[in-house]
Amino acid sequence: MAFGQPRIEYKTNAQMRTMHEAGLVLSRALDAAVAAATPGTTTAQLDAVFRAVLDEAGAKSNFLGYHGFPATICTSVNEEVVHGIPGDRVLQDGDIISIDGGAIVDGWHSDSARTVIVGTPDPEDVRLSEVTEEAMWRGIAALATGKFVGDVGNAVDDYVSSVQGKPLGILEDYVGHGIGSEMHMAPDVLNYRTSHRGPKIRPGLCLAIEPMLVRGSIETAVLDDEWTVVTTDGKRSCQWEHSVAVHEKGIWVLSAPDGGAERLAPLGVVPVPVP
Ligand code: MG
Ligand code: MG
């Protein structure tokens, strides 16, 4: 029975400020992992670099041990979409890798992902990553300007559909989510347009916005390791993600050192630090 139970956890300003602390540690850890993603590096080395930054800051990993996940980041290379497990895989020139990580400070979570092209880029991969990242920022901007969580997916979908050239697919099997005292919470944050407008956007709502785009079909499968999600056609994929807070004065991107100011400015949104 769930009648009357609030499904969404609305955060206080103090809680959101702690989530920003977690987001800043996470941002630095991702900086380090991204810098280490060069040809010849193993994905396990990226995990070690990321983990060292969390340890140094006294932050905990929310990935390590999550349903038994054995690392502090997911490393998803080429046709791997999400949830790739760091290991002996050696990064090759031209690989495209998404690095997805999280951090906990004083019990409050953050979650963010970036995509890196290793060595010499394929222009089509550059386009895939740039469109996915911009789609994420459009979704984040919709949190500031929209009324309902569904406006995020509308903004992502409208932007991706408007891009000239070969169409890119938006994954439907995996979506963004609420975040706070746990990493994955209500509500789901779809990256595509549906007739369901979703819950109202209001202060205290914190969401992980994470569009995942592919160069081919959006069909996915899970490998025998029971984690790694791949495209069934073997085409390349990409993911970008930030954790974002809505408060009474506006929005603030919790996992970005500037709160998202630089990338939101062209979209007409000025983020405001959590009071
Ligand atoms: Mg993530
Ligand atoms: Mg996430």
Side-chain angles (χ1 to χ4, degrees):
M1 292 291 283
F3 287 116
Q5 297 293 322
R7 294 189 62 246
I8 296 176
E9 176 189 80
Y10 295 99
K11 264 64 72 173
T12 66
N13 287 346
Q15 290 165 342
M16 292 191 280
R17 289 195 301 270
T18 307
M19 289 175 70
H20 185 41
E21 285 177 39
L24 291 175
V25 175
L26 169 56
S27 179
R28 292 205 306 275
L30 283 174
D31 287 345
V34 164
T38 53
T41 308
T42 67
T43 51
Q45 285 174 288
L46 303 186
D47 179 56
V49 162
F50 180 95
R51 187 184 302 226
V53 176
L54 262 54
D55 288 348
E56 175 81 30
K60 288 201 186 90
S61 168
N62 37 17
F63 281 46
L64 187 64
Y66 184 87
H67 295 283
F69 191 78
T72 61
I73 52 173
C74 296
T75 51
S76 307
V77 185
N78 298 340
E79 78 286 358
E80 295 171 358
V81 185
V82 285
H83 307 162
I85 303 172
D88 296 337
R89 182 167 186 160
V90 178
L91 294 176
Q92 309 291 322
D93 188 52
D95 279 349
I96 180 169
I97 175 174
S98 91
I99 303 171
D100 186 357
I104 310 171
V105 169
D106 294 337
W108 293 93
H109 290 242
S110 60
D111 184 10
S112 179
R114 301 182 199 164
T115 288
V116 190
I117 300 171
V118 178
T120 320
D122 175 337
E124 284 300 312
D125 287 337
V126 174
R127 175 173 175 267
L128 172 68
S129 183
E130 287 179 352
V131 171
T132 308
E133 186 182 10
E134 180 63 17
M136 173 191 68
W137 288 111
R138 301 285 175 124
I140 291 170
L143 261 194
T145 58
K147 284 195 166 58
F148 299 96
V149 171
D151 293 332
V152 173
N154 294 346
V156 169
D157 200 338
D158 289 351
Y159 170 69
V160 174
S161 308
S162 75
V163 170
Q164 302 293 309
K166 276 188 211 155
L168 298 169
I170 302 172
L171 280 209
E172 296 176 0
D173 296 345
Y174 300 89
V175 299
H177 49 91
I179 182 166
S181 61
E182 294 171 41
M183 179 162 57
H184 292 136
M185 306 183 81
D188 286 342
V189 184
L190 309 187
N191 294 305
Y192 49 93
R193 192 175 268 285
T194 71
S195 58
H196 184 52
R197 65 189 188 179
K200 207 168 180 183
I201 296 169
R202 70 170 178 88
L205 182 70
C206 294
L207 302 179
I209 296 183
E210 50 176 319
M212 287 150 270
L213 267 57
V214 290
R215 283 172 55 178
S217 157
I218 63 169
E219 291 299 316
T220 65
V222 179
L223 297 185
D224 288 342
D225 65 18
E226 295 182 354
W227 280 104
T228 312
V229 177
V230 297
T231 56
T232 52
D233 64 5
K235 296 273 178 67
R236 291 183 164 200
S237 77
C238 179
Q239 175 203 23
W240 282 85
E241 175 181 28
H242 268 309
S243 298
V244 188
V246 179
H247 56 84
E248 68 265 31
K249 305 274 189 224
I251 67 160
W252 189 248
V253 180
L254 299 167
S255 46
D258 72 346
E262 188 187 333
R263 291 300 299 265
L264 290 169
L267 304 175
V269 172
V270 179
V272 181
V274 180

